[in-house]
Amino acid sequence: ILDTLEVLESPAYDCNEQVISSFFPNLQAYLVLQSFGIEALDLQARLETSLKEGVETLVARQNEDGGWGWWPGQQTDQTITAYVLLGLSSAQKAGIEVPDQVLQDAVVTLYASTISPNMGTKPWQLNQLAFVNFALSKADNGDDRLATQLYEVRDQLSPWAQALLAV
């Protein structure tokens, strides 16, 4: 298995989604090495370098309002911001240096853009809210009130959003 692990060093596109999407598998490989005490010095060094560069890239691309857009400099998007928060907070919990202020600003941005779900909210918006709630929870900033509101309209959530809510 170790021979098949590779570091995803450069995403196909330079958008924020691609940066975090290549960051996550590297983080998981890094965690596997740590969890099982596997000594693969070359791989671990490459993973650490890639993760550090990923954090630096995402921190530099954070918008002034605390969120991220699909592309650097674009308007903040709630889903991408939640995805980046999920990745960076997971990295911080794994011992990778991520500035606290970056995470706090993302949390504030997500709460500022969150609507209260109700029976009239469109299903795609409910699914997005379930993902935002999941990301906030994983960053230790979950909102029980939002989770309760989503639970009340759970029959309108897609299966993956129901699973995120259950977690």
Side-chain angles (χ1 to χ4, degrees):
I1 293 173
L2 192 58
D3 292 338
T4 63
L5 286 177
E6 293 183 19
V7 178
L8 299 173
E9 299 193 30
S10 58
Y13 300 99
D14 196 32
C15 65
N16 293 325
E17 181 275 328
Q18 288 280 303
V19 172
I20 196 67
S21 289
S22 65
F23 183 87
F24 257 119
N26 288 341
L27 178 59
Q28 295 310 308
Y30 177 80
L31 290 172
V32 166
L33 293 179
Q34 283 187 331
S35 296
F36 291 102
I38 299 170
E39 289 192 30
L41 300 179
D42 181 52
L43 177 60
Q44 186 161 346
R46 288 176 49 221
L47 286 168
E48 288 171 358
T49 297
S50 178
L51 292 169
K52 181 180 178 202
E53 289 171 358
V55 169
E56 289 171 355
T57 298
L58 292 166
V59 167
R61 292 179 177 186
Q62 188 174 31
N63 291 336
E64 287 184 21
D65 67 2
W68 288 265
W70 281 88
W71 292 89
Q74 279 190 339
Q75 180 179 349
T76 292
D77 179 87
Q78 190 180 43
T79 302
I80 294 301
T81 299
Y83 191 25
V84 173
L85 174 63
L86 181 61
L88 292 180
S89 64
S90 298
Q92 188 182 60
K93 288 179 181 181
I96 295 166
E97 190 174 330
V98 177
D100 288 333
Q101 192 63 50
V102 169
L103 301 178
Q104 291 170 4
D105 291 348
V107 167
V108 168
T109 296
L110 287 172
Y111 274 114
S113 66
T114 300
I115 62 171
S116 292
N118 57 51
M119 295 307 284
T121 307
K122 296 176 183 172
W124 72 265
Q125 292 172 308
L126 295 172
N127 292 336
Q128 184 177 40
L129 283 172
F131 179 64
V132 168
N133 182 63
F134 177 77
L136 287 167
S137 295
K138 289 296 185 179
D140 298 328
N141 284 284
D143 182 353
D144 291 339
R145 187 184 53 152
L146 177 58
T148 300
Q149 291 171 335
L150 285 166
Y151 183 79
E152 295 298 323
V153 293
R154 66 190 176 279
D155 60 322
Q156 296 180 53
L157 294 173
S158 69
W160 72 266
Q162 289 176 357
L164 290 177
L165 182 58
V167 172

